[in-house]
């Protein structure tokens, strides 16, 4: 009996061992990025065309990894730090891809020099007085479901922006939409802001793209409409599927795209949580390039990236920058002497090194970074001057009256400044480190400073910075996109525009500044824009509205071992519109 | 263990630099900075020396709170039995079913960044293991002769628990206490590695977090990321060894 029992136990344990081994083997299968069947799990396509496309792409998947005979790229793996939470144009990833007309497209787009060029229109014309822009219809454009783009789609979309989406910035300057004839449509503005309007419509975070009327006209709640139909655009790439477990979104090229089919057959977006994960993905050769709107990798990762033979690090100058922003709603920060003393106290060399290692240098007075239209090249480079900072504070009456080594306010009460680093998935840690340097530097001139520890998540930061505006000094950033669209001033001015009532993102509403920014918005051409931008930089320097903490390079590494003919656009790196039509697999 | 305590107690004298003082960033190891400097030019060795303080503070404080709370509630549940026992056990079982590390991470992210909040978060779920073990041991003791004698002599329940029940469980309590120190230190390291500690706090977890976030790990700056790992592992090993001894 005992022997039998032992035998049964032995058999059971052997069976268990086999089962465990089988399970482990099944689990340890290497994740085939975009090459496995997993890539098409998770969605149902309703349109016949979509099914055909997926079938076609399945065939191409079988040959993924091998260069095709025409040199087209079978599968490009792209890393990014976005969420794919919903199948709609309002999903984070799709929203930022739409800036470059990837799946959803717009009437205009940026070319490789960040100049506005036609995309879904034949041409556009800005009225001489800058109060209107006319778009001319382009024949032969198709939606991903096979239907043709019509003038009705464009009219429907522009009215959607105007009446429903109500975008938060310059698109609010739209007055009305007027169909002139069957081939042209005009957007009238409230002021002469048509030139800046075009830039804003390319990079609208509110989802201002051209929508297929036949799908969206009956949709009651735009933001909650999702699914395969909500993913039908007319850009060069068609949505295929999202693998939620692997966090990979797949797209394939649109063969009927009106500017010709891309040279990339399929794109797989690998979604990561942080820049560190993206660097790790490069190290593991999981990705060929990255897509992160206006936020490439920081210089601190370059030594590691340079070790990877298959990559070009893709260096480009960031036209935006990390900035220190004063809150003009705060009584203490309204004092120019305090702002000037802060400016003189900061160690810009250390701030630059902290922000970007060897690839960041101190910026200049006036916040606007070199390379931007209207950049004033004669501004002084930021430099620390502790004795000047002390002198300014002494002269202004901020002196240590109780002998504790810390200065008091003019009325003798405690002088205390809070420094709030912005919460950000991609740059939050950098802002925290910069804030620590700022605190250290201000302590050196006898100011009691403390770090804002309450901002530990995104909601807390929004409440502090945008809703309550109860910060004193914020360490944040001007993105490259904002810098290109309408300068860093967008984040610093509070109200501006034709009637001076439109709310912007900042806290400064002094009439002189509002007037300068209104002129930037209302500039009718690049020349007027440059003059107003130059003037704004001088105002920012004189009034010390904000301080740039470094002019940095950012990096968008791309695979040069397997692919060639990459194009780059400043702000998007190598994964840009032009690349989609030029990049080739090496034979 | 003695070395660790010594380093923590005399950190200002042992550390060659003020760990918050900033100089030249990204320096490699040299005689001047034996473990180099971090991304804001702070001396990494000095950060580790001061980091011992935070790690031990969190380890000992959280462990003390966990042990006191867990022991008392466990003994209380066992001694009184009935509804009190059932209520406490339901509470323990619910707390045991909640994954503690994710809960701590979520709480730390939404509370103000502070070492004391981290200790609080660790304590919230940490006491249940101790309570469960003490309860089971106390159940065995409460019907023994010396406890019955106390009851016959009219001693109060609180007196019996504090003077007779818990002292007879001191080995178990001490063992769980040692384990709690090690686990609290590891939890603190995890939380601070995730960047949820105060921004200026110096702990081994924050040094590791800085190394990871500022490219130290990717760029192969081993002098930045290996020492904090060694410190965390060694200290946890010390407490686990002490627990074995006890």
């Amino acid at each position: 009996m005992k022997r039998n029992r032992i035998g049964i136990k032995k058999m059971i344990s052997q069976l268990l061992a086999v089962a465990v081994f089988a399970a482990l083997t099944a689990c340890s299968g290497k994740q085939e990025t975009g090459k496995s069947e997993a890539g098409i799990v998770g969605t149902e396509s309703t349109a016949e065309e979509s099914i055909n496309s997926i079938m076609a792409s399945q065939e191409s998947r079988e040959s993924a990894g091998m260069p095709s005979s025409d040199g087209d790229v079978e599968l490009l793996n792209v890393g990014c730090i976005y969420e794919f939470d919903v199948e709609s144009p309002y999903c984070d990833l799709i929203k930022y891809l739409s800036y470059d007309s990837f799946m959803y497209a717009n009437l205009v787009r940026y070319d490789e020099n960040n100049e506005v060029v036609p995309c879904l229109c034949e041409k556009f014309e800005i009225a001489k007085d800058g109060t209107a822009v006319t778009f001319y219809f382009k024949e032969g454009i198709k939606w991903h479901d096979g239907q043709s783009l019509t003038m009705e789609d464009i009219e429907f979309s522009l009215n959607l922006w105007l009446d429903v989406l109500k975008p938060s910035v310059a698109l609010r300057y739209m007055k009305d939409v007027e169909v002139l004839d069957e081939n042209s449509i005009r957007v009238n503005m409230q002021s002469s802001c048509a030139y800046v309007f075009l830039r804003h419509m390319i990079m609208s975070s509110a989802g201002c793209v051209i929508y297929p009327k036949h799908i969206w006209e009956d949709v009651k709640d735009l933001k909650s409409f999702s699914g395969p139909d909500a993913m039908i655009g007319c850009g060069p790439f068609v949505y295929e599927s999202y693998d939620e477990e692997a966090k990979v979104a797949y797209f394939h090229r649109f063969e009927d795209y009106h500017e010709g089919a891309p040279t990339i057959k399929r794109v797989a977006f690998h979604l990561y949580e942080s820049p560190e994960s993206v660097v790790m993905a490069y190290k593991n050769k999981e990705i060929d390039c990255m897509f992160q709107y206006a936020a490439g990798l920081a210089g601190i990762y370059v030594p590691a990236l340079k070790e990877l033979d298959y990559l070009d690090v893709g260096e480009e100058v960031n036209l935006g920058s990390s900035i220190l922003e004063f809150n003009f709603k705060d009584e203490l920060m309204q004092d120019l002497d305090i702002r000037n003393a802060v400016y003189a106290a900061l160690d810009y060399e250390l701030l630059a090194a902290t922000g970007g290692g060897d690839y960041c240098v101190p910026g200049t007075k006036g916040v606007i970074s070199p390379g931007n239209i209207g950049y004033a090249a004669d501004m002084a480079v930021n430099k620390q001057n502790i004795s000047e900072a002390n002198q300014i504070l002494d002269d202004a009456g901020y002196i240590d009256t109780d002998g504790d080594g810390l200065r008091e306010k003019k009325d003798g009460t405690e002088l205390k400044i809070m420094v709030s680093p912005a919460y950000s998935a991609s740059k939050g840690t950098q802002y925290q480190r910069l804030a620590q340097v700022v605190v250290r530097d201000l302590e050196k001139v006898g100011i009691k400073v403390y770090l804002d520890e309450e901002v530990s998540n995104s909601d807390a930061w929004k409440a502090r910075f945008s809703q309550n505006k109860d910060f004193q000094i914020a360490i944040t950033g001007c993105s490259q996109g904002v810098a290109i669209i309408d300068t860093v001033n967008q984040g610093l001015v509070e109200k501006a525009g034709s009637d001076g009532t439109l709310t912007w993102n900042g806290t400064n509403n002094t009439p002189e500044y509002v007037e300068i920014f209104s002129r930037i918005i209302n500039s009718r051409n690049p020349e007027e824009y440059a003059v107003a931008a130059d003037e704004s930089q001088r105002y920012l320097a004189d009034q010390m509205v904000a301080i740039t903490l470094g002019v940095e390079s950012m990096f968008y590494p791309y695979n040069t071992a397997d692919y060639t003919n990459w194009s780059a656009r400043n702000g998007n790196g190598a994964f840009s519109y032009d690349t989609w039509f030029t990049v080739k697999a090496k034979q | 263990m003695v070395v660790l305590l010594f380093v923590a107690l005399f950190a200002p004298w042992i550390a060659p630099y003020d760990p918050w003082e900033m100089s030249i960033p990204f320096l490699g190891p040299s005689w001047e900075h034996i473990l180099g400097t971090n991304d804001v030019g702070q001396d990494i060795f000095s950060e580790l020396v001061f980091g011992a303080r935070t790690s031990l503070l969190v380890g000992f404080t959280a462990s003390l709170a966990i042990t006191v709370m867990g022991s008392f509630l466990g003994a209380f549940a066992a001694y009184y039995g009935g509804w009190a026992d059932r209520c406490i056990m339901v509470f323990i079982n619910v707390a045991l079913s909640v994954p503690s590390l994710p809960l701590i991470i979520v709480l730390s992210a939404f509370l103000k960044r502070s070492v004391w909040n981290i200790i609080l978060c660790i304590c919230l779920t940490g006491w249940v293991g101790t309570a469960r073990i003490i309860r089971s041991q106390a159940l065995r003791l409460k019907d023994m002769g010396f406890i019955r004698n106390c009851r016959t002599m009219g001693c109060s329940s609180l007196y019996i628990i504090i003077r007779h029940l818990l002292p007879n469980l001191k080995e178990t309590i001490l063992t769980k206490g040692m384990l709690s120190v090690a686990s609290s230190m590891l939890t603190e390291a995890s939380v601070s590695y995730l960047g949820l500690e105060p921004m200026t706090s110096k702990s081994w977890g924050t040094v590791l977090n800085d190394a990871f976030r500022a490219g130290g790990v990717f760029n192969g700056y081993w002098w930045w990321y290996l020492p904090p790992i060694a410190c965390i592992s060694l200290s946890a090993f010390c407490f686990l060894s002490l627990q074995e001894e006890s």
Side-chain angles (χ1 to χ4, degrees):
Chain A
M1 276 295 281
K2 201 176 175 187
R3 195 175 292 171
N4 273 350
R5 268 211 307 272
I6 292 168
I8 291 166
K9 276 184 182 174
K10 216 173 182 181
M11 201 169 75
I12 291 171
S13 61
Q14 280 170 350
L15 278 170
L16 277 172
V18 170
V20 169
F21 179 75
L24 285 174
T25 311
C27 293
S28 66
K30 193 183 170 190
Q31 181 200 322
E32 302 266 329
T33 49
K35 296 170 191 172
S36 70
E37 291 296 325
I40 56 161
V41 174
T43 56
E44 286 176 17
S45 180
T46 51
E48 196 184 334
E49 285 75 11
S50 297
I51 295 168
N52 291 339
S53 312
I54 293 171
M55 295 301 286
S57 65
Q58 273 181 298
E59 285 167 25
S60 72
R61 225 169 296 166
E62 286 166 15
S63 59
M66 304 278 287
S68 68
S69 56
D70 51 5
D72 285 357
V73 177
E74 291 293 342
L75 175 70
L76 192 74
N77 290 296
V78 184
C80 53
I81 314 168
Y82 289 123
E83 283 186 17
F84 194 96
D85 44 356
V86 59
E87 286 178 333
S88 102
Y90 306 106
C91 146
D92 242 15
L93 175 68
I94 304 297
K95 198 165 71 182
Y96 288 107
L97 282 168
S98 298
Y99 289 8
D100 236 12
S101 289
F102 180 82
M103 187 191 86
Y104 269 97
N106 216 319
L107 290 168
V108 288
R109 63 174 176 84
Y110 282 132
D111 72 0
E112 59 185 332
N113 301 314
N114 283 322
E115 296 295 338
V116 180
V117 294
C119 185
L120 296 183
C121 66
E122 188 68 43
K123 61 174 182 171
F124 62 87
E125 279 172 5
I126 298 175
K128 276 189 182 162
D129 62 358
T131 57
V133 57
T134 306
F135 299 99
Y136 292 89
F137 185 68
K138 189 173 190 173
E139 297 283 350
I141 298 176
K142 284 192 171 172
W143 293 104
H144 295 159
D145 61 2
Q147 299 225 27
S148 294
L149 175 87
T150 63
M151 193 59 141
E152 282 187 347
D153 290 325
I154 296 171
E155 186 192 0
F156 168 77
S157 303
L158 291 173
N159 279 314
L160 207 62
W161 302 2
L162 192 64
D163 302 329
V164 184
L165 290 172
K166 299 187 193 326
S168 58
V169 280
L171 295 185
R172 288 177 307 176
Y173 289 110
M174 288 171 74
K175 195 160 86 185
D176 55 46
V177 178
E178 206 179 334
V179 179
L180 300 178
D181 53 50
E182 58 184 15
N183 278 319
S184 58
I185 191 165
R186 186 164 66 199
V187 179
N188 294 308
M189 305 291 158
Q190 291 174 19
S191 62
S192 58
C193 62
Y195 173 69
V196 170
F197 165 79
L198 286 174
R199 293 161 177 268
H200 271 276
M201 69 184 275
I202 294 175
M203 294 176 141
S204 159
S205 57
C208 292
V209 288
I210 300 300
Y211 291 82
K213 188 184 173 190
H214 62 278
I215 291 174
W216 289 82
E217 65 181 333
D218 296 326
V219 173
K220 295 232 164 35
D221 182 4
L222 295 184
K223 299 281 166 83
S224 64
F225 180 54
S226 64
D229 281 348
M231 297 294 271
I232 294 199
C234 57
F237 288 92
V238 181
Y239 174 64
E240 198 176 298
S241 63
Y242 177 57
D243 182 345
E244 189 144 14
E245 260 177 49
K247 292 210 174 294
V248 184
Y250 296 94
F251 294 80
H252 60 262
R253 70 181 173 191
F254 184 35
E255 301 291 347
D256 292 332
Y257 185 61
H258 66 280
E259 292 190 350
T263 56
I264 307 166
K265 290 185 179 173
R266 288 183 82 221
V267 180
F269 290 96
H270 300 250
L271 313 185
Y272 300 105
E273 299 284 330
S274 64
E276 292 81 25
S277 317
V278 174
V279 176
M280 196 68 92
Y282 275 119
K283 284 196 133 188
N284 294 334
K285 222 184 164 186
E286 273 174 30
I287 52 176
D288 301 304
C289 61
M290 67 178 284
F291 166 72
Q292 197 70 24
Y293 153 71
L297 295 172
I300 52 173
Y301 302 112
V302 172
L305 294 168
K306 280 195 167 164
E307 284 175 9
L308 307 174
D309 295 338
Y310 78 100
L311 289 181
D312 182 308
V313 292
E315 180 175 4
E316 65 176 52
V317 175
N318 185 355
L319 298 180
S321 65
S322 301
I323 59 170
L324 180 152
E325 185 175 337
F326 295 103
N327 183 1
F328 280 75
K329 300 272 168 214
D330 182 84
E331 198 185 333
L332 186 63
M333 293 301 118
Q334 285 173 0
D335 188 343
L336 178 60
D337 290 320
I338 282 283
R339 302 199 299 274
N340 279 332
V342 170
Y343 172 78
L346 300 183
D347 181 348
Y348 295 98
E349 296 288 342
L350 181 57
L351 286 164
T354 302
D358 293 337
Y359 301 91
C360 187
V361 293
T364 55
K365 263 189 168 181
V367 195
I368 293 177
S369 292
N372 282 289
I373 301 175
Y375 168 70
D378 58 337
M379 304 304 283
V381 174
N382 295 338
K383 202 174 175 190
Q384 186 179 34
N385 191 335
I386 295 283
S387 56
E388 189 186 328
N390 281 318
Q391 191 64 51
I392 293 169
L393 291 168
D394 289 345
D395 293 348
Y398 295 99
I399 45 177
D400 178 13
T401 51
D402 58 9
D404 65 351
L406 295 167
R407 294 172 186 276
E408 271 72 46
K409 284 186 189 169
K410 291 173 187 176
D411 61 4
T413 57
E414 187 184 29
L415 170 63
K416 200 171 160 190
I417 296 178
M418 177 173 74
V419 178
S420 308
Y423 184 88
S424 152
S426 56
K427 292 201 142 189
T429 310
Q430 187 185 338
Y431 294 148
Q432 284 182 18
R433 299 303 262 177
L434 294 173
Q436 288 175 38
V437 179
V438 170
V439 167
R440 191 277 310 245
D441 290 343
L442 296 186
E443 281 171 346
K444 275 188 177 173
V445 294
I447 297 175
K448 188 174 182 183
V449 203
Y450 65 103
L451 283 165
D452 181 2
E453 299 283 2
E454 283 173 16
V455 176
S456 56
N457 58 67
S458 170
D459 291 338
W461 169 246
K462 268 185 204 160
R464 168 84 80 224
F465 189 71
S466 312
Q467 293 158 10
N468 305 332
K469 299 201 174 189
D470 55 358
F471 65 96
Q472 286 185 294
I473 287 177
I475 306 299
T476 178
C478 164
S479 78
Q480 171 130 332
V482 167
I484 294 171
I485 294 173
D486 53 23
T487 69
V488 63
N489 296 286
Q490 188 203 101
L492 306 174
V493 72
E494 190 188 23
K495 288 182 192 299
S498 53
D499 56 359
T501 56
L502 286 179
T503 306
W504 292 77
N505 300 322
T507 56
N508 189 325
N509 61 6
T510 47
E512 190 186 354
Y513 189 41
V514 168
E515 196 273 324
I516 293 172
F517 185 63
S518 298
R519 276 200 281 123
I520 292 175
I521 295 296
N522 294 329
S523 52
R524 286 166 298 181
N525 50 53
E527 292 75 29
E528 281 187 13
Y529 181 95
V531 170
D534 176 282
E535 201 175 327
S536 79
Q537 191 171 353
R538 293 178 200 286
Y539 178 85
L540 292 171
D542 290 343
Q543 295 301 311
M544 202 51 70
V545 178
I547 302 167
T548 180
L549 301 178
V551 176
E552 60 178 2
S553 289
M554 54 183 181
F555 297 85
Y556 289 95
Y558 54 95
N559 180 345
T560 50
D562 302 317
Y563 306 112
T564 184
N565 288 350
W566 293 87
S567 300
R569 182 172 74 75
N570 211 306
N572 266 41
F575 189 74
S576 63
Y577 186 92
D578 292 283
T579 286
W580 307 338
F581 301 90
T582 58
V583 70
K584 288 278 183 182
K586 285 186 175 172
Q587 299 288 324
Chain B
M1 178 67 203
V2 174
V3 173
L4 192 67
L5 284 170
F6 182 81
V7 167
L9 283 172
F10 299 101
W13 290 276
I14 296 168
Y17 297 92
D18 174 352
W20 288 275
E21 184 52 42
M22 298 166 184
S23 61
I24 303 164
F26 299 112
L27 288 178
S30 65
W31 286 116
E32 219 173 322
H33 298 279
I34 53 172
L35 292 176
T37 60
N38 66 11
D39 57 322
V40 286
Q42 293 164 333
D43 182 66
I44 294 169
F45 178 71
S46 303
E47 282 190 296
L48 290 176
V49 170
F50 274 81
R53 285 186 154 190
T54 312
S55 299
L56 287 179
L57 172 76
V58 173
F60 278 118
T61 316
S63 168
L64 187 70
I66 284 168
T67 310
V68 168
M69 199 172 153
S71 302
F72 189 77
L73 282 172
F76 185 84
Y79 186 80
Y80 283 101
W83 279 104
D85 185 31
R86 261 177 254 163
C87 284
I88 291 172
M89 279 313 289
V90 165
F91 205 65
I92 288 173
N93 288 334
V94 168
L96 274 175
S97 63
V98 175
S100 58
L101 189 59
L103 178 73
I104 291 167
I105 290 168
V106 169
L107 285 174
S108 307
F110 283 92
L111 292 172
K112 186 181 172 183
R113 285 198 194 96
S114 127
V115 170
W116 295 107
N117 278 339
I118 289 175
I119 293 172
L120 179 77
C121 294
I122 294 171
C123 293
L124 274 179
T125 55
W127 63 273
V128 289
T130 305
R132 211 178 155 93
I133 286 179
I134 296 300
R135 178 185 167 274
S136 65
Q137 299 282 319
L139 277 175
R140 187 176 50 84
L141 288 181
K142 79 166 190 176
D143 291 326
M144 291 179 85
F146 69 100
I147 299 285
R148 281 209 304 271
N149 285 345
C150 287
R151 273 203 293 262
T152 315
M153 287 165 70
C155 297
S156 74
S157 302
L158 193 66
Y159 178 85
I160 295 170
I161 289 171
I162 293 172
R163 292 299 301 269
H164 295 284
L165 205 55
L166 289 175
N168 277 288
L169 295 169
K170 64 177 185 294
E171 279 86 10
T172 313
I173 293 171
L174 209 67
T175 307
K176 278 300 289 178
M178 287 298 168
L179 274 175
S180 300
V181 176
S183 69
S184 300
M185 286 174 76
L186 289 172
T187 307
E188 183 276 331
S190 312
V191 172
S192 50
Y193 172 72
L194 293 170
L196 299 170
E197 275 219 348
M199 283 176 260
T200 49
S201 169
K202 295 290 174 202
S203 81
W204 296 330
T206 56
V207 176
L208 198 55
N209 174 50
D210 294 342
F212 187 71
R213 301 281 174 187
V217 173
F218 300 110
N219 295 327
Y221 303 156
W222 56 266
W223 54 89
W224 195 355
Y225 64 84
L226 281 184
I229 294 173
C231 289
I232 294 165
S233 308
L234 274 174
S235 56
F237 177 73
C238 283
F239 284 103
L240 291 172
S241 305
L242 270 178
Q243 175 254 324
E244 286 281 311
E245 292 293 315
S246 65

